[in-house]
Amino acid sequence: MTQEPTSLPSALASFTEQWSPRIVTTVNDYDVRVAKVEGEHVWHVHDHTDEFFLVLDGELHIALREAAGERTVVLPKGSVFTVPRGTEHRPSAPVPTSLMLFEPTGTLTVGDRHDEVPDHVDATTGHALAPEAS
């Protein structure tokens, strides 16, 4: 199979669903995903993997429950942040936001443990990108 470049703007334009990532490529055993988000996700934990966020557009807030207490990190456009494995967290976006995420293939968007999943959050391991989006 011949791999071709993927346009991130085209990939993001190919879907409208919020909190429903698309897999744009894989690197070794990791998915590179893009997602559109707005509003709140769900409190969740990834027991066995870190979770990497890159804000492509907009602004992402990540609430964290850590040993020292609860805090929120704010990521403006162009910022990266890694949530360490085992850390309970809840991403949210006050404005429409586009993200890139790196996660091991098969990682659920709601982690290994989570609160009740609301209807606007897609509990998925990522969706394939539509062929015309690359």
Side-chain angles (χ1 to χ4, degrees), residues 36-114:
K36 294 178 178 181
V37 301
E38 187 174 11
E40 290 188 351
H41 197 268
V42 62
W43 281 103
H44 66 284
V45 177
H46 298 279
D47 289 328
H48 306 290
T49 185
D50 301 334
E51 187 170 20
F52 172 88
F53 295 86
L54 165 61
V55 178
L56 301 170
D57 195 36
E59 180 177 281
L60 186 70
H61 298 190
I62 304 176
L64 303 160
R65 291 180 176 156
E66 301 170 310
E70 196 170 301
R71 69 180 176 118
T72 299
V73 295
V74 176
L75 292 94
K77 178 180 177 177
S79 297
V80 300
F81 186 77
T82 300
V83 176
R85 72 190 71 201
T87 302
E88 191 174 11
H89 60 288
R90 183 190 66 210
S92 63
V95 297
T97 298
S98 300
L99 305 175
M100 179 181 286
L101 305 111
F102 293 97
E103 298 179 294
T105 299
T107 300
L108 273 171
T109 56
V110 294
D112 301 301
R113 294 178 282 123
H114 53 79

